[in-house]
């Protein structure tokens, strides 16, 4: 009788743990054109490669630092000072903002992310890099931020 209860308890524990184990498995699907998709369940009929990925949640933890404010005037500590700032102080803050905007644009141009560039063509004829629409939009936004910061600096320099 004791042995039957032990087996029953083990069966209940395994049944309870099964959904947790399934939630930690992902399937990487690579179709014949090289497109990669991820799914929680393996597909029944798939014309491509299926790779099972078991995820250990304890090995995949990260502690992220709090994000820094983008603009020096955006933080709560500098807002009162900016309101009472002299023309020279406002100009200095605007120049710092311009420098940060230029650096962000330069970094985005020099170091595009993994999904920012696609390679189009075939292996026999060569491929060429093509920026994605989202990457081009991000660059346009960064260029606009630089222009606005330059305009602000010019305006404050004229007031001096």
């Amino acid at each position: 009788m004791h042995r039957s209860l032990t087996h029953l308890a083990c069966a209940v524990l395994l049944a309870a743990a099964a959904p947790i184990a399934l939630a930690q498995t992902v399937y990487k699907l690579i179709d014949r054109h090289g497109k990669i998709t991820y799914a929680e369940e393996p597909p029944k009929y798939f014309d491509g490669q299926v790779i099972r990925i078991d995820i250990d949640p304890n090995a995949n933890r990260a502690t992220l630092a709090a994000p820094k404010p983008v603009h020096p005037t955006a933080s709560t500590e500098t807002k009162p000072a900016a309101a009472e700032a002299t023309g020279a102080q406002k100009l200095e803050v605007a120049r710092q903002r311009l420098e940060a905007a230029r650096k962000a644009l330069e970094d985005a141009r020099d170091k595009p992310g993994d999904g920012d560039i696609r390679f189009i063509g075939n292996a026999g004829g060569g491929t060429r890099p093509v920026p994605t629409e989202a990457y081009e939009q991000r660059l346009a936004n960064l260029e606009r931020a630089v222009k606005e910061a330059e305009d602000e600096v010019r305006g404050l320099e004229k007031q001096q």
Side-chain angles (χ1 to χ4, degrees), residues 25-27 29 38-44 50:
T25 300
V26 175
Y27 295 89
L29 313 173
Y38 293 91
E40 292 180 0
E41 297 179 15
K44 291 182 182 178
V50 178

Side-chain angles (χ1 to χ4, degrees), residues 29-35 46-49:
L29 313 173
I30 306 173
D31 71 9
R32 55 191 155 123
H33 301 292
K35 181 180 177 189
F46 180 71
D47 186 23
Q49 182 181 9

Side-chain angles (χ1 to χ4, degrees), residues 2-109:
H2 179 64
R3 188 177 232 171
S4 298
L5 286 176
T6 304
H7 288 280
L8 180 63
C10 287
V12 168
L13 285 174
L14 285 173
I20 295 169
L22 290 175
Q24 297 175 355
T25 300
V26 175
Y27 295 89
K28 181 178 182 178
L29 313 173
I30 306 173
D31 71 9
R32 55 191 155 123
H33 301 292
K35 181 180 177 189
I36 298 174
T37 308
Y38 293 91
E40 292 180 0
E41 297 179 15
K44 291 182 182 178
Y45 306 104
F46 180 71
D47 186 23
Q49 182 181 9
V50 178
I51 302 170
R52 178 185 170 131
I53 301 172
D54 293 314
I55 300 170
D56 180 5
N58 294 324
N60 297 316
R61 293 192 180 181
T63 304
L64 302 176
K68 295 179 182 176
V70 176
H71 302 293
T73 57
S75 69
T76 56
E77 298 134 10
T78 59
K79 279 188 179 180
E84 300 169 2
T86 65
Q89 291 170 330
K90 288 179 183 178
L91 180 59
E92 180 58 31
V93 169
R95 285 180 177 155
Q96 289 173 358
R97 189 175 303 122
L98 173 59
E99 184 61 33
R102 284 179 176 162
K103 182 166 180 13
L105 177 60
E106 180 184 346
D107 287 347
R109 284 181 177 158

